[in-house]
């Protein structure tokens, strides 16, 4: 046995393998293995992996017409893949060099608009052909073997021995007896655990300081301005129109909750208008202003149908009726759009009379309390 | 051939020689999109368009004369009616009067009064084929125009003379800032007409139409007149320059290529989801069927 | 046993020597042989999970490329790039870099599109793979762990998809982010606190894109990678399931060894997946952010939708009635909470726990390695189809405005159709599937008992017409076979049992001469063919497999 250490190909580090070593190297000497053919070795190894090759369909006969055809087919596929890959490369590198420029601008519908499609078509074709070639090779030229591998459920021996080791180690630690250590460990574990997640506390911020959800930049005397900052007079809009307005504060047109719809009602709408209780004077003449932020999920509403007086939200199709105080009349929204009280200042421009009297945007847990 | 009257040009909309005129008056530097359009347009179409423009110019000369010469106060009398108005009245009485009533006053439950809608509304409604209506529906569908351009001019002259209201714009309707137009489009129009004017659904069977087939003047008059459920965008709300910017944006984006391949309707995730299942997953399923088969 | 220098087994070739050097150091020969010898069942449906795996590889590669150019910042910049309709506008640096990536990086648009298509494919492949696992019962003991990991992978893929969708900060993704913010706010009690933790304050703040970015490129992919590794390790350890058939038992796997046949096919599939994604990435435009415009909280577009895999949540949100619940003390549970957090939570909880639920109900606690045909488990199959119907109705409702617009249907009618459909279609689907399963089962039994329909009609002396059946086995005095059903496909056509000429082989076109096939068949009839070997080489196609024979042990 001591010859093993000098054995070429020896994998063992043990100079003198103990009686427990076992394994295939004990079953077969190098001489025995050397006497086997490659096929036999393959099958032998497979047997050690619980695999039995039942049947081998050797594939086409070497030199046969079937083989030649298959070889031609596979080679052609790979060649085509190479060709298209090179073509993709040429398009990528050559555009702007000896081919027209690749960079697209809106006036161009020629080469530059075809650059990406060409890369995709050629590159995609090349990769697909590589795959097709590999599959063709497998299907047409490789031997088809049918192998069976045994499945083993867990070994009882392994379970028992592993269990013994685990339990033995635990037993030797004596933790079951030394209660004081166990308790201190539990205490230590919870402390260390808390300490480790502690930094996440940096993420926690109080949403209730200053009521950011319930207030916007609108306030008494703040002008209603367009996106470009220009103020609005009552004569600017015609009946049946809608304008998105913002508070005249710095950055007002980028604020997420300030966007407001200024709507001038048509006479027919005005005659049927029923504002919400206590908000009868929020409009100005035939103008009303409602928050543009949907009370459902916060999308900007504003698909305004001036004949049916409905405002539709494009995200979830909630519908609000501007002649009924922007009440939700269809879809998943529950609350009406908040109304902004407006009037006209000394110079004749629209201003807000105050902030919204309720929180704009989607509903949340303590909305009614703030 | 002389440059046609700008007024007539605007009147006849997309098929007028606007491209040519823009070419001569505003060379490419200002608007690459315009240049591209010009290049794409064939010579033959240009010639046809020129003839059409000339004819429209002739018609409009008469219309303008009649519209400007008589006083509005006596609009309902027939004494000062021009030939175009008379022809328009004839057309009106033949095709529109059932719903819109005598003297444009409207018929309850059938059609609204046309007093004050102006030629802009007439142009939009008739040129897009929405009027005359075939039947009462949730919304008037657009279809090929029933009246010729000349007849539409006559109808406009009649309605304008007898009811007044917003008039057609003149000049280059794409003479605006592209980026500003985009910003205004997304703020005011995209909520109904989709990001790039593909159209969208409204409540109960109504819809904001796609702008694919809309010409400049149709878009302009739609903003000006607020047809059906569309809000009105008066000139004090969106200035004529802003309207032109919006039109420039819509038409430029509509005409530009899709550099990333097939646009699949430019509809976004719904269309893309369909493609990944119908094309992507289907192709790969086919692939693995083939791989799994013996031959 | 003394050895000489020319002892047997000494490598003589350079390659052999190199291999020896490697193995001397790493000792990999044993594990490598075990890997190469691993047997994979040969059935098309086992490749579905691989598609998802390869899509993930493509995502890693293309995504890494995108990070070279993307700037995850909400800092305001003015666009000065190539795309004229946006030039001069203020936008976030994130959107600006997405535009530059699309227009000013050679091939950048292609890579962006490849990444997005691969993402859609990734989730789609996971879902199809999940359906295969579900309907064939592959989740049963001992594979519950892998089922749970799989559901976790699906959830992570959704999170990965949503965070990626939000990164360009265009008008479409910004709208999606707005809705996500509202969903977080809708959680009772802690909603606002969670929102403040995620967004670092009120919507939209300046942090969210940076946080989503790190989640998208580091946190979620790392967990995904780890879980995929565990998913595959468990698979290797437990070995594949297989469909019942001749020679296939609970204790073996019949198929191809990994090397070379399976490895070649699998790499072939990788390239085909890559090719399809690359072709889509170049030929079909996806998420053209330049058309959507920069995000602005005051702007919105009609037909704003999430990507397909989130669409079911958008659909449930559209359908859910306007039911805020007002609690004493002026607290509110927003209506939005139910169709998003609750429904998603329920769907995924039930999905994750399904193996345990089924085990409880059927009291089947045994290990299973043989798959079931969906028809043989009608309750599970019907439940699955019912859930799928529910899901599809929700998903279609997520696009109901596009459907309404394209097909000229009333939007309100679509909403109501969805509301009613989501309640009544799933039970209908259940009943129909159940009937179909029973019908198919019955037909299988009928064929086993009476034999195949031959199509030959015979007139008996007394005038009665009967159809001649070909029994599949020995018959008793009534002409009935006593064959038991083995859970494998039962032949339904004469050529599957050699009664007629068998089907000519060839996927695209015939690759055999009919005359040759006939010859071969005649040989078979003379008992020349090795019956066993032929029977074992059943292919993956259902129509080929499963001759009526008891599985052998």
């Amino acid at each position: 046995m001591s010859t093993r250490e000098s054995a070429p190909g020896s994998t063992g580090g043990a100079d003198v393998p103990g009686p427990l070593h076992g394994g295939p190297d004990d079953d077969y000497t190098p001489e025995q293995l050397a006497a086997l053919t490659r096929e036999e070795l393959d099958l032998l190894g497979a047997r050690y992996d619980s695999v039995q090759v039942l049947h081998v369909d050797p594939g086409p006969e070497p030199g046969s017409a079937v083989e030649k055809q298959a070889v031609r087919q596979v080679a052609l596929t790979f060649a085509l893949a190479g060709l298209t890959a090179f073509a993709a490369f040429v398009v990528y590198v050559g555009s702007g060099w000896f081919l027209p420029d690749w960079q697209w601008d809106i006036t161009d519908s020629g080469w530059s608009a075809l650059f990406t499609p060409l890369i995709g078509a050629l590159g995609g074709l090349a990769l697909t052909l590589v795959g097709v070639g590999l599959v063709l090779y497998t299907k047409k030229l490789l031997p088809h073997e049918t192998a069976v591998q045994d499945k083993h459920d867990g070994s009882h021996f392994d379970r028992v021995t592993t269990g013994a080791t685990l339990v033995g180690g635990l037993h030797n630690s004596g933790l079951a007896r030394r209660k004081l250590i166990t308790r201190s460990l539990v205490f230590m574990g919870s402390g260390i655990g808390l300490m480790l997640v502690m930094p996440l506390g940096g993420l926690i911020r109080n949403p209730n300081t200053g009521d950011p959800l319930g207030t916007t930049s609108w306030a008494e005397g703040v002008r209603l301005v367009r996106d470009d900052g220009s103020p609005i007079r009552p004569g600017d809009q015609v009946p049946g129109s809608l304008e998105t307005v913002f508070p005249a504060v710095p950055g007002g047109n980028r604020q997420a909750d300030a966007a407001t719809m200024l709507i001038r009602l048509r006479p027919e709408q005005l005659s049927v208008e029923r504002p919400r209780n206590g908000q009868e004077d929020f409009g100005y003449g035939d103008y009303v202003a409602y928050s543009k932020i949907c009370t459902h999920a916060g999308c900007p509403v504003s698909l305004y149908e001036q004949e049916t007086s409905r405002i539709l939200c494009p995200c979830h199709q909630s519908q609000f009726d501007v002649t009924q105080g922007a009440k939700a009349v269809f879809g998943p929204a529950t609350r009406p759009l908040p109304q902004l009280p407006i009037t006209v200042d000394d110079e004749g421009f629209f201003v807000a009379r105050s902030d919204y009297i309720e929180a704009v945007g989607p509903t949340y847990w303590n909305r009614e309390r703030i | 051939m002389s440059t046609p009257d700008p007024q007539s040009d605007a009147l006849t909309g997309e098929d007028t020689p606007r491209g040519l005129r823009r070419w001569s008056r505003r060379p490419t530097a200002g608007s690459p999109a315009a240049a591209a359009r010009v290049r794409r347009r064939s010579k033959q179409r240009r010639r046809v368009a020129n003839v059409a423009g000339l004819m429209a110019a002739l018609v409009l000369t008469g219309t303008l004369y009649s519209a400007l010469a008589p006083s509005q106060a006596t609009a309902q009398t027939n004494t000062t009616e021009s030939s175009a108005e008379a022809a328009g009245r004839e057309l009106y009485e033949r095709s529109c009067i059932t719903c819109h009533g005598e003297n444009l006053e409207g018929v309850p439950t059938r059609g609204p009064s046309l007093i004050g809608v102006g030629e802009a509304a007439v142009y939009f409604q008739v040129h897009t084929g929405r009027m005359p209506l075939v039947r009462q529906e949730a919304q008037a569908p657009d279809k090929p125009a029933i009246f010729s351009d000349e007849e539409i001019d006559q109808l406009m002259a009649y309605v304008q003379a007898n009811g007044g209201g917003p008039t057609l714009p003149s000049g280059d309707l794409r003479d605006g800032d592209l980026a500003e137009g985009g910003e205004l489009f997304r703020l005011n129009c995209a909520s109904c007409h989709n990001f790039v004017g593909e159209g969208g659904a409204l409540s109960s069977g109504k819809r904001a139409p796609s702008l694919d087939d809309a010409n400049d003047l149709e878009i302009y008059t739609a903003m000006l007149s607020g047809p059906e459920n569309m809000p009105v965008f008066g000139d004090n709300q969106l200035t004529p320059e802003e309207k032109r910017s919006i039109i420039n944006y819509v038409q430029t984006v509509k005409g530009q290529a899709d550099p990333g391949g097939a646009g699949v309707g430019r509809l976004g995730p719904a269309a893309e989801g369909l493609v990944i299942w119908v094309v992507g997953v289907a192709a790969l399923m086919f692939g693995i069927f083939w791989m799994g088969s013996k031959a | 046993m003394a050895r000489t220098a020319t002892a047997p087994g000494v490598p003589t070739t350079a390659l052999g020597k190199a291999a020896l050097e490697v193995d001397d150091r790493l000792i990999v020969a044993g594990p490598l042989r075990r890997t190469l010898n691993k047997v994979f069942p040969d059935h098309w449906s086992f490749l579905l999970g691989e598609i998802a795996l390869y899509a993930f590889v493509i995502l890693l590669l293309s995504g890494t490329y995108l990070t070279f150019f993307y700037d995850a910042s909400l800092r305001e910049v003015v666009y000065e790039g190539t795309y004229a309709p946006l030039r001069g506008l203020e936008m976030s640096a994130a959107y600006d870099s997405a535009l530059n990536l699309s227009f000013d990086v050679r091939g950048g648009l292609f890579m962006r599109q490849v990444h997005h298509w691969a993402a859609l494919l990734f989730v789609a492949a996971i879902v199809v793979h999940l359906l295969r696992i579900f309907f064939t019962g592959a989740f049963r003991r001992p594979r519950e762990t892998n089922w749970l990991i799989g559901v976790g992978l699906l959830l992570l893929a959704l999170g990965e998809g949503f965070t990626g969708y939000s990164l360009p900060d265009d008008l479409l993704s910004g709208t999606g982010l707005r809705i996500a913010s509202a969903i977080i706010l809708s959680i009772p009690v802690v909603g606002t606190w969670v929102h403040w933790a995620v967004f670092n304050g009120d919507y939209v703040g300046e942090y969210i894109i940076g946080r989503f970015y790190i989640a998208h490129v580091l946190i979620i992919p790392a967990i995904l990678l780890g879980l995929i590794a565990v998913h595959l390790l468990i698979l290797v350890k437990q070995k594949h399931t297989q469909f019942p058939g001749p020679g296939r038992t609970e204790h073996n796997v019949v198929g191809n060894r990994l090397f070379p046949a399976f490895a070649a096919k699998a790499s072939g599939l990788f390239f085909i997946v890559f090719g399809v994604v690359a072709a889509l990435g170049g030929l079909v435009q996806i998420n053209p952010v330049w058309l959507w415009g920069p995000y602005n909280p005051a702007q919105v577009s009609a037909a704003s939708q999430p990507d397909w895999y989130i669409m079911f949540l958008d659909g449930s949100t559209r359908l859910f009635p306007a039911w805020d619940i007002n609690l004493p003390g002026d607290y509110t549970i927003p209506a939005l909470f139910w169709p998003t957090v609750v429904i998603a939570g329920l769907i995924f909880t039930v999905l994750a726990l399904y193996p345990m639920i089924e085990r409880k109900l059927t009291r089947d606690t045994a290990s299973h390695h043989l798959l079931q045909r969906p028809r043989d488990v009608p309750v599970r199959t019907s439940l699955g189809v019912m859930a799928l119907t529910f899901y599809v109705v929700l998903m279609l409702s997520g696009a109901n405005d596009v459907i309404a617009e394209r097909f000229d249907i009333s939007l309100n009618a679509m909403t109501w159709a969805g509301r009613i459909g989501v309640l009544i279609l799933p039970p209908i689907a259940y009943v129909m599937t159940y009937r179909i399963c029973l019908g198919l089962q019955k037909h299988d039994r009928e064929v086993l008992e009476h034999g195949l329909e031959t199509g030959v009609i015979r007139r008996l002396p007394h005038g009665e017409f009967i159809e001649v059946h070909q029994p599949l086995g020995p018959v008793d005095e009534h002409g009935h076979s006593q064959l038991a059903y083995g859970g494998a496909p039962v032949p339904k056509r004469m050529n599957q049992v050699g009664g007629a000429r068998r089907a000519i082989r060839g996927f695209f076109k015939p690759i055999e001469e009919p005359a040759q096939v006939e010859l071969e068949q005649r040989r078979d009839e003379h008992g020349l063919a090795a019956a066993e070997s032929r029977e074992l080489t059943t292919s993956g196609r259902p129509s080929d497999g499963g001759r009526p024979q008891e599985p052998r042990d």
Side-chain angles (χ1 to χ4, degrees), chain C residues 17 93 135 172 178 185 205 220 222 259 273 290 310 365 399 417 430 481 483 492 499 501-502 514 538 551:
Chain C
K17 283 175 184 153
F135 284 113
L172 181 62
R178 183 55 158 133
L185 279 181
I220 305 179
F259 191 79
V273 173
W290 57 95
I310 306 281
T365 54
Y430 183 93
S481 304
L483 293 168
K492 297 284 171 69
R501 202 165 57 208
R502 71 168 166 79
T538 46

Side-chain angles (χ1 to χ4, degrees), chain B residues 79-263:
Chain B
T79 47
T80 55
E81 203 169 60
S82 72
S83 62
E85 284 171 39
R89 170 182 293 280
E90 200 176 302
L91 287 171
Y92 180 86
E93 282 168 357
R94 185 143 48 87
S95 304
C96 323
I97 201 164
T98 340
C99 298
H100 294 293
E102 238 171 302
N103 296 323
L104 312 177
E105 66 216 3
V107 177
T109 75
R110 279 212 191 141
S113 161
L114 298 184
I115 295 169
V117 302
E119 59 180 11
V122 176
Y123 177 82
F124 177 83
Q125 297 287 357
V126 182
H127 196 262
T128 61
R130 285 179 166 77
M131 293 292 146
L133 206 56
V134 176
R135 60 180 174 277
Q136 297 279 356
E137 286 177 279
Q139 182 174 340
D142 53 333
K143 49 189 183 293
I146 284 173
F147 295 111
S148 69
D149 283 358
E150 187 187 349
E151 288 169 327
I152 294 174
D153 290 341
Q154 292 163 351
L155 271 175
M156 287 195 303
Y158 172 69
V159 172
Q160 189 69 32
N162 292 288
T167 54
L168 294 191
S170 58
D172 180 6
L173 294 185
R174 299 187 188 183
D175 186 13
D177 185 79
L178 197 54
E180 188 202 359
E183 200 65 2
L184 288 168
F185 183 84
R186 286 187 289 274
L187 186 65
N188 294 300
C189 322
S191 54
C192 300
H193 290 285
N194 202 323
F195 295 105
V196 284
E198 292 298 331
L202 298 174
S203 72
S204 308
K206 298 180 285 291
R207 52 206 224 152
S210 158
L211 305 182
D212 278 352
D213 300 323
N215 69 27
D216 298 357
L217 197 55
E218 284 169 7
I219 300 176
Y220 197 103
T221 51
M223 289 191 273
L224 205 54
S225 63
E228 303 199 54
N229 270 302
M230 177 165 162
V232 192
F233 293 92
D235 278 347
N236 287 329
Q237 185 181 347
L238 280 178
T239 64
E241 292 71 45
E242 288 173 332
K243 288 195 178 80
R244 282 160 214 256
S245 299
I246 290 176
I247 292 172
N248 188 15
Y249 177 76
V250 171
Q251 303 291 28
T252 304
V253 171
K254 214 162 79 179
Q256 83 193 18
D258 283 318

Side-chain angles (χ1 to χ4, degrees), chain A:
Chain A
M1 291 292 267
S2 60
T3 51
R4 184 182 270 273
E5 60 185 294
S6 63
S10 159
T11 56
D15 289 359
V16 183
L20 294 175
H21 187 268
D25 280 324
D26 289 348
D27 300 344
Y28 293 91
T29 61
E31 289 80 7
Q32 283 174 308
L33 291 177
L36 295 175
T37 64
R38 202 179 61 231
E39 288 77 14
E40 285 166 338
L41 282 169
D42 176 32
L43 294 179
L44 177 65
R47 277 235 317 273
Y48 271 83
D49 298 330
S50 327
V51 173
Q52 195 186 354
V53 178
L54 290 179
H55 168 74
V56 180
D57 178 2
E61 206 139 309
S64 66
V66 179
E67 193 205 24
K68 278 181 187 152
Q69 197 203 353
V71 165
R72 270 199 305 274
Q73 218 172 2
V74 171
L76 184 70
T77 314
F78 283 141
L80 272 179
L83 193 71
T84 42
F86 274 118
F89 179 77
V90 167
V91 170
Y92 185 85
V93 172
S95 292
W97 178 14
F98 50 86
L99 290 168
D101 194 17
W102 63 272
Q103 205 158 17
W104 178 78
D105 76 58
I106 54 169
T107 59
D108 200 349
S109 55
W111 182 262
S112 68
L114 285 176
F115 178 72
T116 303
L118 266 177
I119 297 260
L122 292 170
L125 190 60
L127 291 163
T128 310
L129 284 173
V130 172
V132 168
L134 280 168
V135 175
L136 276 179
Y137 198 99
T138 321
K139 287 174 63 151
K140 303 215 161 181
L141 290 168
L142 284 183
H144 296 277
E145 59 175 36
T146 304
V148 177
Q149 185 165 28
D150 282 343
K151 241 176 222 155
H152 302 290
D153 288 334
S155 128
H156 180 69
F157 175 82
D158 287 348
R159 288 171 188 166
V160 172
T161 48
T162 311
T165 310
L166 271 176
V167 173
L170 215 61
H171 178 80
N172 290 343
S173 73
L175 281 181
R177 282 182 297 114
R178 297 159 189 157
K179 291 281 183 227
L180 193 61
I181 294 190
T182 323
R183 284 181 200 140
S184 69
L185 274 178
V186 169
F187 180 71
M188 175 204 80
S190 42
I192 296 283
L194 281 176
M195 194 184 78
L196 287 179
V197 298
M198 175 179 71
L200 288 177
L203 289 172
I204 308 294
R205 308 188 58 197
N206 189 345
N208 299 323
T209 32
D211 189 19
L213 282 169
T215 53
T216 68
S217 301
W218 293 106
E220 187 179 355
V222 172
R223 273 190 183 158
L224 280 60
V225 296
R226 300 189 180 95
D227 194 30
D228 61 6
S230 57
I232 302 157
R233 291 176 193 279
D236 285 354
Q237 280 177 235
V238 290
S241 67
L242 174 148
E243 171 94 274
T244 303
V245 295
F246 304 91
V249 296
N253 63 347
R254 303 292 289 173
Q255 285 171 358
D257 51 4
T260 299
M261 295 175 291
L262 182 63
I263 296 167
R264 184 167 182 189
L265 300 173
R266 290 179 298 115
E268 306 91 272
Q269 291 173 301
L270 210 54
S271 61
V272 297
E273 199 207 354
R274 281 186 293 115
R276 288 163 70 189
N277 283 339
Q279 305 190 3
E280 292 83 1
D281 60 343
F282 275 24
Y284 179 85
D286 48 2
Y287 279 92
V288 287
Y290 290 105
S291 166
K292 196 175 182 177
I293 309 302
C294 187
T295 56
H296 175 236
C299 291
V301 288
S302 78
L303 281 74
Y304 178 44
E305 303 173 8
Q306 55 130 336
E307 282 187 340
T308 59
S309 307
R310 286 193 177 192
I311 294 180
L312 179 72
C313 177
C315 291
H316 305 107
Q317 285 87 43
S318 299
Q319 292 162 23
F320 304 89
D321 191 331
V322 287
T323 59
Q324 300 182 54
K327 190 175 93 175
V329 290
F330 185 84
T334 41
R335 292 186 296 111
L337 298 168
Q339 187 170 6
L340 184 71
I342 52 170
T343 186
V344 165
D345 67 7
D346 302 341
E347 293 175 56
F349 292 115
F350 277 118
V351 291
R353 279 166 46 201
S354 75
D355 193 359
Y356 286 101
I357 58 167
E358 55 188 323
V360 302
T363 314
Y364 50 92
W365 174 247
N366 53 353
R367 179 183 173 278
E368 300 290 333
R369 291 175 67 90
I370 297 179

Side-chain angles (χ1 to χ4, degrees), chain C residues 447-452 454 469-475 479-481 483 497:
Chain C
V447 170
L448 289 173
E449 196 178 338
H450 296 282
L452 294 167
T454 56
H469 282 72
Q470 166 66 49
L472 293 173
V475 292
H480 292 168
S481 304
L483 293 168
V497 292

Side-chain angles (χ1 to χ4, degrees), chain C residues 463-479:
Chain C
E464 188 193 347
F465 287 97
I466 56 158
E467 185 181 0
V468 179
H469 282 72
Q470 166 66 49
L472 293 173
V475 292
D476 60 15
E477 64 271 24
H478 303 294

